[in-house]
Amino acid sequence: MKKIIITITTLLLALASFSQSSAEAKSILDKAYSNFENSKGIKISFSFTAKEGKTIHHQQDGMAMVKGNKFKIEMSNIHTWFDGKTQWVLMDDYDEVNISEPTPEEVASISPTALLSMYKSGFTLDAPTSQTILGMSSFVIDMKPTVSGTEFKDISVAIDKQSYTIRQVILTFKNGLTNNINVTEYNTNFNFNDADFVFNKTKHPGVEIIDLR
C-alpha cells in the first residue's frame, strides 16, 4: 500500500539544448504548464491503474485538488495532503496518518499535475505524435530520464490538442511496473484555501500520527 502511495504521489534543472523534435515537444508542454500555472486552482478526476505486464495489481478512481505546488488527493481508502513541503498520508485501513517531506520525484509520482514540470530538466523529449486519448485528439510525448538514480524508465504524457490540458500519464518503472493515470475531468479556476492542503487532526480524532521526517 505504501508503495502505491509513493508511485501514484520529478525533476528540476533546465536541459542545455533540444533537437528540433524535442523543441516542438517542449513548446507543447510549455503551453500546458502555462495553463496550469495561470489557474487559481484546479480540480481533477482521474483513474489510476498499476500493472505489471498484463497483470493489474491495483485500480481505483480518485479526485485531486491542486493549487500551485500544493495538492490534496482523495481515493477510496487513501487521502493525501501536500502543502508544498510536508505531506500527510491518511490510510483508512490502518487508521493512521504518516507525515513526511517527500522528494520532488515522489511528489511528481503522486500528483498528476506535478508531472507537467518534469519536462523542464533531467529528460530528453521525443517528437510528439498525434493519438486519440480518452476520446480526445491529443499530442503524446515520451520522456526518458537522463539523470541517474531515478526509478523511472520512461514517461508518456498526453496533452489535449484543443485545451492543452493533461489527459493521461503513463509511468514505466525500471522494475517493470507501469502506472497509468487517466484524467477524466479537468476543471480550472477553483479558489482553494491553503488550509485545504494541510491535514487537520481535529477532523480525524483517534487517528495515530506517525512522523517520518
Side-chain angles (χ1 to χ4, degrees):
M1 180 64 68
K2 292 183 180 179
K3 180 65 175 178
I4 293 171
I5 294 170
I6 292 173
T7 56
I8 189 187
T9 309
T10 243
L11 313 157
L12 301 163
L13 296 166
L15 286 173
S17 62
F18 295 92
S19 65
Q20 182 175 359
S21 61
S22 61
E24 182 182 1
K26 181 178 181 297
S27 177
I28 293 168
L29 293 169
D30 281 344
K31 290 181 181 179
Y33 191 66
S34 177
N35 285 343
F36 164 67
E37 276 197 313
N38 292 332
S39 174
K40 296 178 182 179
I42 296 172
K43 187 175 182 180
I44 297 170
S45 297
F46 65 91
S47 62
F48 168 78
T49 305
K51 300 190 297 182
E52 186 172 10
K54 295 183 179 180
T55 303
I56 296 177
H57 292 291
H58 187 79
Q59 187 173 31
Q60 64 176 302
D61 296 332
M63 182 276 293
M65 297 160 48
V66 185
K67 177 183 177 182
N69 65 343
K70 302 176 178 65
F71 61 80
K72 179 183 178 182
I73 295 178
E74 297 280 355
M75 302 182 77
S76 60
N77 58 350
I78 304 174
H79 315 280
T80 305
W81 297 259
F82 181 70
D83 67 357
K85 178 183 178 182
T86 303
Q87 177 175 278
W88 297 263
V89 178
L90 174 64
M91 295 177 285
D92 291 341
D93 292 345
Y94 298 93
D95 204 26
E96 66 181 34
V97 60
N98 290 334
I99 306 174
S100 64
E101 293 182 0
T103 65
E105 186 175 62
E106 290 170 340
V107 172
S109 297
I110 191 174
S111 170
T113 54
L115 291 161
L116 278 175
S117 68
M118 296 194 312
Y119 73 97
K120 292 185 176 184
S121 71
F123 282 87
T124 58
L125 308 178
D126 289 348
T129 61
S130 294
Q131 298 181 36
T132 300
I133 303 295
L134 303 177
M136 302 289 185
S137 181
S138 305
F139 296 109
V140 177
I141 299 169
D142 287 331
M143 306 190 296
K144 294 179 176 58
T146 59
V147 295
S148 60
T150 176
E151 294 184 18
F152 300 131
K153 179 181 178 182
D154 180 81
I155 300 173
S156 176
V157 180
I159 303 295
D160 188 300
K161 286 186 176 181
Q162 296 297 319
S163 62
Y164 283 89
T165 57
I166 191 168
R167 284 297 171 187
Q168 183 185 72
V169 178
I170 300 175
L171 303 99
T172 302
F173 294 85
K174 291 178 180 178
N175 61 6
L177 290 175
T178 300
N179 285 358
N180 289 37
I181 302 172
N182 291 328
V183 177
T184 53
E185 292 185 32
Y186 190 108
N187 299 311
T188 61
N189 294 319
F190 281 80
N191 290 309
F192 299 126
N193 295 318
D194 288 345
D196 293 328
F197 307 100
V198 176
F199 173 75
N200 187 340
K201 62 181 181 181
T202 62
K203 294 183 179 180
H204 303 275
V207 171
E208 181 183 2
I209 296 176
I210 302 174
D211 197 331
L212 303 175
R213 291 173 291 182

